[in-house]
Amino acid sequence: VQLQASGGGEVQPGGSLRLSCIISGNFRAAKDMGWYRQAPGKQRELVATISADGSTTYEDSVQGRFTISRDNSEKSVHLQMNRLKPEDAAAYYCNAYIQTPRLLWTTIWGRGTQVTVSS
């Protein structure tokens, strides 16, 4: 089972990007899904999470600018990022808490997708 992330790129301050992550492979269910980011020289930090029933949480600095969503039929999670700031620049990682075919729960991570915000 893998997570495939896409949607990163370079934008000017105030611009928007939409990140997507799709689960591929065989699994039984997915609970919480989320996005993290890591800037150079900094620790990875949580950006947003979404539960199976759609409940969301956001890091304070992105509240009101970012929106996390999921499509259970398409096995995907998305992060709409608006009014981007230079401090949002980082490598963004998605993750998902899934149940394997052997009924084990585990967290899987996607490869990072780079977001650059500069004028």
Side-chain angles (χ1 to χ4, degrees), residues 11 39 43:
V11 295
Q43 291 190 338

Side-chain angles (χ1 to χ4, degrees), residues 84-105:
L84 281 160
K85 304 176 180 180
E87 52 263 41
D88 294 319
Y92 282 71
Y93 299 86
C94 56
N95 78 350
Y97 188 53
I98 65 159
Q99 187 181 37
T100 70
R102 294 188 177 185
L103 306 182
L104 299 175
W105 287 94

Side-chain angles (χ1 to χ4, degrees), residues 45-62:
E45 65 173 358
L46 176 66
V47 177
T49 65
I50 185 166
S51 66
D53 66 2
S55 299
T56 59
T57 64
Y58 295 94
E59 194 269 330
D60 287 347
S61 70
V62 308

